[in-house]
Amino acid sequence: MSNEDKNNKEQNDLQKQVPSDQEVITGCGGCLVTVTIVSIIIGLLSLGNSPENSQSPVENIPVSEQTITVEDFKKYEQQIYSLPQQCDADYKKAMDALAKNDAVGAYEQFDNAHYSCLDCFSKFSSLKLPEGLSSEQKDKLKDANRDFSIAYKSKSSASKNFKKGIDRNSVESMAKAKENLELFQTYLFRGAGKLTEVKTQIEEQNKKTD
């Protein structure tokens, strides 16, 4: 076999091992690997207003100590939204490169995503809570930030394993990446749900005091 034939064969094998966007999604049991915190929050809020959910109120968090306003909480919420932006952008570029069978470009972007998502994990771990929360709301948001931290640590690990899969033509690394993405989605939804609970509590309490 000539060197040119060998190179072509290796390239074809690599393209078979590297999943496309759709293959990654279906391989994760239908998980949306490009999902963001913003989209989840919006979805949860809309579900809370739907008729079929009208008899399932948000968990009752005592708010006797609460003094935070809706406007102040929204500033904190914007911090939550902004922290993963670089990680999500790098990861999306990597997935776009995969969809184009650009293994070199995907490798580089997954390398970027590995580190930017790791930085996001660190920032969520040390994120300061806003003033004026009840003790119960503080606990809920601490749990939410812990969930977000785990989510983005998992996304960092997924990016690292995708990079290994491309570099080593490894099916095992690709499978690990998919597992990481399942964990990412699970904890992202958990954290977003807790954030939404506190936000709804604050909005309802502020309406009562207006």
Side-chain angles (χ1 to χ4, degrees):
M1 180 183 293
S2 68
N3 287 336
E4 183 177 354
D5 290 337
K6 288 181 179 179
N7 289 335
N8 289 336
K9 183 178 185 300
E10 289 176 357
Q11 183 65 24
N12 289 334
D13 289 342
L14 178 58
Q15 290 180 2
K16 291 177 181 178
Q17 301 293 345
V18 177
S20 65
D21 251 341
Q22 185 61 37
E23 287 171 335
V24 171
I25 291 172
T26 55
C28 293
C31 66
L32 297 175
V33 295
T34 56
V35 73
T36 64
I37 294 176
V38 178
S39 63
I40 293 176
I41 293 292
I42 292 173
L44 288 172
L45 287 173
S46 63
L47 282 174
N49 294 328
S50 64
E52 59 270 28
N53 287 278
S54 59
Q55 297 186 8
S56 300
V58 174
E59 179 183 341
N60 184 29
I61 303 174
V63 292
S64 56
E65 307 165 49
Q66 177 195 311
T67 59
I68 189 172
T69 64
V70 174
E71 290 71 22
D72 286 339
F73 188 78
K74 284 182 178 178
K75 293 177 183 177
Y76 171 75
E77 192 177 29
Q78 285 304 314
Q79 285 184 284
I80 297 288
Y81 295 159
S82 64
L83 287 183
Q85 285 181 352
Q86 188 61 55
C87 163
D88 291 338
D90 290 339
Y91 185 84
K92 185 178 184 304
K93 289 177 183 177
M95 296 304 293
D96 288 344
L98 278 185
K100 298 175 183 177
N101 290 323
D102 178 9
V104 175
Y107 181 92
E108 292 175 351
Q109 293 301 332
F110 276 129
D111 187 54
N112 291 338
H114 166 56
Y115 290 107
S116 60
C117 293
L118 198 60
D119 180 61
C120 181
F121 152 74
S122 177
K123 288 178 178 177
F124 269 121
S125 299
S126 59
L127 184 62
K128 185 179 179 180
L129 299 180
E131 299 293 332
L133 296 167
S134 71
S135 57
E136 292 82 2
Q137 289 167 342
K138 287 179 183 178
D139 290 341
K140 183 72 71 173
L141 289 183
K142 285 178 183 177
D143 286 345
N145 288 345
R146 190 178 299 112
D147 289 337
F148 290 142
S149 295
I150 295 172
Y152 281 94
K153 179 66 167 63
S154 300
K155 195 167 188 176
S156 174
S157 297
S159 299
K160 183 177 181 180
N161 280 317
F162 273 130
K163 189 174 67 170
K164 285 183 180 179
I166 294 171
D167 184 45
R168 303 173 185 177
N169 200 22
S170 169
V171 176
E172 182 181 357
S173 293
M174 290 296 182
K176 287 181 180 179
K178 292 177 181 180
E179 291 175 2
N180 295 143
L181 290 175
E182 290 177 347
L183 198 62
F184 162 70
Q185 178 186 274
T186 296
Y187 279 95
L188 191 66
F189 270 88
R190 285 183 187 177
K194 292 168 186 175
L195 184 66
T196 303
E197 286 181 19
V198 175
K199 180 179 181 179
T200 303
Q201 277 279 336
I202 292 171
E203 289 174 342
E204 290 177 353
Q205 181 65 14
N206 274 250
K207 287 178 182 178
K208 294 177 183 178
T209 57
D210 285 346

